[in-house]
């Protein structure tokens, strides 16, 4: 008998379970872990004996090697009541299932699971997502290693620590975790969007529904059109509308343009009137016009605002970074008068009015101008954002460089 310090799940699943006097008690079908801890501990085993299947206490089990084979032995096949919440069945919920590699920011398939035997119990330490995991389960890993060794070759091995993965539940799964997707919520919205895009439609909607509204709004902006459409059509109208209200109007307009007209109308009617009207105005602009890609979420100050008042207002508003590339100055009729850089704002005396430090030579575009005119302007003047005015020169929006680049990429995709 040889002591074992670690083992792969595939090496013990399906093996016979013996009593201390070597009587066969059944076959091991699954291991159940407590997922509340950072390092999940095996607390129960699913054992089949004839037609009888029972969940038993794993604390009575020992695993060792004899003649190169893993042996599972138990002092007592004691049934145990396991709560469904915060427990994971390794074969049922993890093996051959999709999980998220948090470091690689992608969805991967689990081919095997590595467990460690410590004095305090048996714990999951890693998942195997490599080719070796598959070959091991087919019984081909060892023979192939022997063939490859004289050639100086090896089988690719890919282990990911359990700390760096997030299990994925689906709408049809009975996997219930109180900290569902807590790791996913720490990812950047664009990384999380990439992960959601790799999932099937039902799991996409399920994972998305677990995010808080702020995170969900950020992620929705980053999803590709197909995933956006799927998520919005799967969510209840009230929840989808609440989500859209937290997003910039131009982003909402882009999204609603891509979904069914009936659903878009339904969502607009459910949204608050002010937010809905902003979106409708943008959706009314013809395609390829500046107005169709501008954002109406911008910050402008009147000419008589002082430097101190402006800074205090910025502190109160806490604007997103792309809203303060430039500070636009307007008159009482909301006509564009000038622009102030953050540098000039910071170095000026507190009581200085904005009209004294603003640049009056403002480059702008009109809402009905063609989008192509923006490309020439941003390249010629090295601008990060361009103000948009109507025929009366009233400031009605801003186009930021990100939206211009996105629009150009859309046009390019259509041409390919």
């Amino acid at each position: 008998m040889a002591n074992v310090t670690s083992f792969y799940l595939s090496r013990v699943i399906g093996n016979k379970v013996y009593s201390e006097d070597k009587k066969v008690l059944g076959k091991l079908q699954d291991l159940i872990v407590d997922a509340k801890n950072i390092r999940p501990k095996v607390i129960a085993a699913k054992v089949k004996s004839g037609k009888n299947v029972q969940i038993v206490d794993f604390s009575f089990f020992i695993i060792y090697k004899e003649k190169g084979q893993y042996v599972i032995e138990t002092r007592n096949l004691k049934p145990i009541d396991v709560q469904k919440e915060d427990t994971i069945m390794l074969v049922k919920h993890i093996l051959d299932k999709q999980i998220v590699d948090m470091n690689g920011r992608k969805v991967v398939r689990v081919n095997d699971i590595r467990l460690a035997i410590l004095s305090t119990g048996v714990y999951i330490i890693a998942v195997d997502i490599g080719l070796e995991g598959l070959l091991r389960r087919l019984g081909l890993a060892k023979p192939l290693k022997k063939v490859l060794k004289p050639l100086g070759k090896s089988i690719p091995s890919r282990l990911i620590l359990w700390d760096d993965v997030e299990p994925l539940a689906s709408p049809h799964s009975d996997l219930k975790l109180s900290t569902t997707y807590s790791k996913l919520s720490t990812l950047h919205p664009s990384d999380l969007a990439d992960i959601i895009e790799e999932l099937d439609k039902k799991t996409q909607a399920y994972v998305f529904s677990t995010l808080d509204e702020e995170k969900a709004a950020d992620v929705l902006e980053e999803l590709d059109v197909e995933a956006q459409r799927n998520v919005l059509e799967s969510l209840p109208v009230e929840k989808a509308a609440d989500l859209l209200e937290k997003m910039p109007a131009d982003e909402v307009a882009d999204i609603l343009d891509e979904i069914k007209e009936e659903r878009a109308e339904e969502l607009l009617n459910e949204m608050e009137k002010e937010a809905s009207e902003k979106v409708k105005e943008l959706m009314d602009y013809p395609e390829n016009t500046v107005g169709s890609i501008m954002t109406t979420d911008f910050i402008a100050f009147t000419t008589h605002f002082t430097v101190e008042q402006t800074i205090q207002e910025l502190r109160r508003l806490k604007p997103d970074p792309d809203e303060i590339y430039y500070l636009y100055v307007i008159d009482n009729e909301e006509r564009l008068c000038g622009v102030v850089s953050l540098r000039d704002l910071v170095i000026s005396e507190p009581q200085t009015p904005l009209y004294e430090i603003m640049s009056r030579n403002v480059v702008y575009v009109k809402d009905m101008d063609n989008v192509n005119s923006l490309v020439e302007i941003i390249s010629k003047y090295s601008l990060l954002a361009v103000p948009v005015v109507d025929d009366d020169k009233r400031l009605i929006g801003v186009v930021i460089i990100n939206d211009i680049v996105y629009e150009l990429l859309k046009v390019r995709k259509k041409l390919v």
Side-chain angles (χ1 to χ4, degrees):
M1 177 174 124
N3 290 332
V4 175
T5 56
S6 67
F7 62 93
Y8 283 102
L9 182 68
S10 63
R11 301 299 298 274
V12 297
I13 292 298
N15 288 11
K16 293 175 181 177
V17 177
Y18 295 93
S19 64
E20 288 183 300
D21 56 0
K22 303 304 178 189
K23 289 182 179 177
V24 177
L25 302 174
K27 284 189 177 182
L28 182 66
Q29 286 196 322
D30 212 334
L31 293 178
I32 302 167
V33 300
D34 181 353
K36 290 194 293 289
N37 299 320
I38 295 175
R39 186 78 65 217
K41 179 181 179 180
V42 179
I43 57 170
K46 182 180 178 182
V47 177
K48 183 176 183 181
S49 179
K51 293 183 178 180
N52 182 40
V53 177
Q54 55 183 334
I55 306 298
V56 297
D57 192 339
F58 191 76
S59 63
F60 297 103
F61 280 59
I62 59 169
I63 296 175
Y64 58 90
K65 263 187 172 183
E66 196 169 79
K67 298 179 181 179
Q69 299 298 315
Y70 286 90
V71 178
I72 308 167
E73 191 176 291
T74 181
R75 301 194 311 274
N76 187 355
L77 213 58
K78 180 184 176 183
I80 184 174
D81 184 24
V82 176
Q83 297 296 322
K84 282 193 174 183
E85 185 170 324
D86 289 323
T87 57
I88 300 175
M89 300 181 75
L90 297 187
V91 174
K92 184 177 182 180
H93 296 140
I94 304 297
L95 198 63
D96 294 325
K97 303 297 188 297
Q98 290 181 317
I99 62 169
V100 177
D101 171 5
M102 298 296 293
N103 285 337
R105 267 67 166 171
K106 61 183 178 181
V107 177
V108 294
R109 180 180 182 274
V110 177
N111 295 327
D112 212 343
I113 301 169
R114 184 83 169 175
L115 298 102
I117 302 175
L118 306 178
S119 58
T120 52
V122 177
Y123 300 84
I124 302 178
I125 53 173
V127 294
D128 189 338
I129 64 167
L131 177 61
E132 186 178 358
L134 276 177
L135 294 174
R136 186 185 307 113
R137 291 168 63 185
L138 295 170
L140 299 175
K142 280 189 175 181
L144 192 55
K145 280 182 179 180
K146 289 180 180 179
V147 173
L148 294 176
K149 191 173 182 180
L151 303 174
K153 303 289 184 181
S154 60
I155 305 171
S157 179
R158 285 287 312 279
L159 289 176
I160 306 176
L161 292 177
W162 183 260
D163 299 6
D164 298 326
V165 302
E166 180 86 285
L168 285 172
S170 72
H172 306 299
S173 169
D174 60 356
L175 176 59
K176 296 177 181 178
L177 304 177
S178 58
T179 57
T180 305
Y181 307 134
S182 58
K183 293 178 186 175
L184 283 185
S185 63
T186 66
L187 291 177
H188 188 279
S190 61
D191 290 326
L192 188 44
D194 288 342
I195 288 168
I196 290 175
E197 287 167 7
E198 293 183 56
L199 306 173
D200 63 80
K201 286 186 177 182
K202 289 183 179 178
T203 309
Q204 275 183 353
Y206 183 77
V207 172
F208 191 87
S209 68
T210 66
L211 304 174
D212 64 64
E213 281 192 355
E214 296 291 341
K215 191 76 170 185
D218 291 338
V219 172
L220 187 60
E221 288 182 47
E222 302 291 341
L223 288 173
D224 62 26
V225 172
E226 187 179 346
Q228 285 177 338
R229 188 186 300 121
N230 176 52
V231 165
L232 283 180
E233 290 179 355
S234 63
L235 289 174
V237 177
E238 298 82 2
K239 185 168 183 178
D242 289 342
L243 200 60
L244 294 175
E245 286 169 6
K246 294 184 179 297
M247 296 170 59
D250 60 316
E251 296 286 351
V252 177
D254 288 342
I255 291 171
L256 295 186
D257 272 335
E258 300 292 343
I259 66 175
K260 293 176 182 176
E261 191 174 334
E262 299 81 10
R263 180 65 169 179
E265 193 64 36
E266 197 177 9
L267 291 169
L268 285 168
N269 291 335
E270 186 66 32
M271 291 171 67
E272 290 182 5
K273 187 177 180 181
E274 185 180 350
S276 178
E277 286 178 351
K278 277 186 179 182
V279 174
K280 286 177 181 177
E281 285 176 13
L282 293 174
M283 292 178 73
D284 286 340
Y285 278 104
E287 193 175 1
N288 296 325
T289 60
V290 168
S292 69
I293 67 167
M294 72 178 180
T295 175
T296 52
D297 295 322
F298 61 88
I299 298 174
F301 300 93
T302 56
T303 52
H304 291 283
F305 248 62
T306 65
V307 167
E308 184 178 23
Q309 287 174 321
T310 303
I311 291 174
Q312 286 177 350
E313 185 67 3
L314 289 174
R315 285 173 179 159
R316 185 186 71 81
L317 293 172
K318 297 179 177 62
D320 292 332
D322 55 10
E323 289 181 19
I324 52 171
Y325 285 138
Y326 310 105
L327 302 177
Y328 298 107
V329 185
I330 56 176
D331 63 17
N332 292 331
E333 302 296 322
E334 298 185 354
R335 290 188 294 260
L336 181 63
C337 300
V339 61
V340 176
S341 68
L342 284 177
R343 176 190 174 279
D344 289 340
L345 191 70
V346 170
I347 66 174
S348 299
E349 292 297 322
Q351 299 309 314
T352 306
L354 294 182
Y355 68 80
E356 288 187 12
I357 62 172
M358 72 181 186
S359 170
R360 288 175 168 77
N361 188 22
V362 189
V363 177
Y364 61 85
V365 291
K366 289 187 176 182
D367 56 339
M368 294 304 291
D369 287 349
N370 192 284
V371 169
N372 292 331
S373 63
L374 289 165
V375 179
E376 183 180 346
I377 289 172
I378 62 169
S379 58
K380 182 176 180 179
Y381 298 102
S382 301
L383 297 174
L384 296 173
V386 182
V388 183
V389 300
D390 61 15
D391 289 335
D392 297 318
K393 208 185 174 184
R394 285 195 299 263
L395 182 62
I396 57 173
V398 174
V399 179
I400 60 174
I401 191 168
N402 299 18
D403 292 327
I404 299 170
V405 172
Y406 177 69
E407 189 66 22
L408 291 174
L409 288 173
K410 279 206 305 185
V411 173
R412 185 179 177 185
K413 281 182 182 178
K414 288 178 181 178
L415 294 174
V416 174

